[in-house]
Amino acid sequence: MTEPIALVFAHPDDETFLSAALIRRLADEGNAPVLLLATKGDAGKKNGAFAHLSNEELAELREAEMSRAADILGLSTVEHLAYPDGKLQEADEAEFVRRVAGFLNRHRSPVVVTFPEDGGNYHPDHMAISRIATKAVLDGWCPHVEKLYYILSAPLAEKGVQPAFRLDTEPYWPVKAAALRAHDSQALAIERYFGPLDAFPEQRRYEAFVLAWERGEAWPKRTETWITDRLNS
């Protein structure tokens, strides 16, 4: 497979919180994963020492942080749609879908990874980008996409949904921790979720991914060894 796996999230740092080990393994295998972010995180002022910055200044800072994290993780491309942080639900849906689909089509991505419908934590931006990315795939905008994955969330697990595969993050923890440190403006949120980064967080051991759609089939119940299983590309 030569076409890159695409990750579609809402804010800088979503990729590292939820899929750093996945990204690094893909990069190590020569996949060159690509990342699309709907915002630059310009409203995220409560989780670090940068509340004094304007939204424009914070956006610039977080874009630079994302660039450093991308280098650590091995992302080949990072693009920002630059919608206002916290207001994705207000974006024009048709335009939003076209822009997400345009990214996926430019990269001819056979696989897309995004938030589940519940956003993982019911964050409105997370839920919005999940809805838009899902629509771009399921409504036929992206003919190269063969598989759509959601991050496993607590609400999905409570419904009995099982991940297609899980990835043990312990071997990747030095990389994941370094990428988290790159997102310094969000240090307080990172510490709340992972604890001190100098210790491996056993409670956050796995990154887990649910197969939500594959070639026209919704919620196929398959156990996989890896994200590239059964790809035609």
Side-chain angles (χ1 to χ4, degrees), residues 45-225:
K45 300 181 182 181
K46 297 180 179 179
N47 291 310
F50 300 96
H52 60 286
L53 298 183
S54 68
N55 282 27
E56 293 75 15
E57 290 169 333
L58 184 58
E60 184 176 351
L61 173 62
R62 295 198 70 182
E63 189 172 3
E65 290 177 342
M66 185 65 249
S67 180
R68 291 193 291 274
D71 288 342
I72 293 165
L73 296 175
L75 284 159
S76 65
T77 299
V78 178
E79 293 186 22
H80 305 260
L81 297 180
Y83 285 110
D85 187 5
K87 299 181 179 180
L88 287 186
Q89 300 278 12
E90 301 173 18
D92 178 84
E93 181 171 292
E95 176 196 71
F96 202 169
V97 171
R98 283 196 300 271
R99 295 180 73 189
V100 171
F103 175 87
L104 299 176
N105 289 333
R106 282 196 305 278
H107 293 284
R108 299 175 62 89
S109 301
V111 178
V112 178
V113 179
T114 190
F115 287 105
E117 294 176 347
D118 57 72
N121 58 359
Y122 297 105
H123 190 301
D125 280 355
H126 296 178
M127 295 169 71
I129 192 61
S130 172
R131 176 172 54 84
I132 296 299
T134 299
K135 189 173 182 65
V137 173
L138 270 59
D139 285 6
W141 285 81
C142 309
H144 301 292
V145 175
E146 300 177 34
K147 299 164 74 174
L148 172 68
Y149 289 89
Y150 290 155
I151 305 297
L152 179 65
S153 64
L156 283 177
E158 289 166 5
K159 293 177 183 177
V161 175
Q162 297 294 316
F165 70 94
R166 300 192 304 171
L167 193 57
D168 188 345
T169 66
E170 187 169 21
Y172 298 92
W173 180 245
V175 170
K176 184 159 183 161
L180 287 167
R181 289 188 181 98
H183 291 291
D184 184 51
S185 67
Q186 306 304 301
L188 298 180
I190 290 166
E191 185 171 3
R192 285 196 301 272
Y193 192 78
F194 291 101
L197 296 181
D198 57 355
F200 175 68
E202 182 62 40
Q203 77 280 11
R204 305 292 182 195
R205 185 178 194 97
Y206 293 100
E207 295 175 356
F209 304 89
V210 173
L211 185 57
W213 178 92
E214 182 177 5
R215 300 186 188 93
E217 182 182 357
W219 302 103
K221 295 180 179 179
R222 297 191 181 98
T223 300
E224 300 181 311
T225 59

Side-chain angles (χ1 to χ4, degrees), residues 16-29:
T16 304
F17 267 73
L18 301 170
S19 56
L22 174 75
I23 295 168
R24 187 64 258 177
R25 177 174 165 182
L26 287 167
D28 290 344
E29 293 177 351

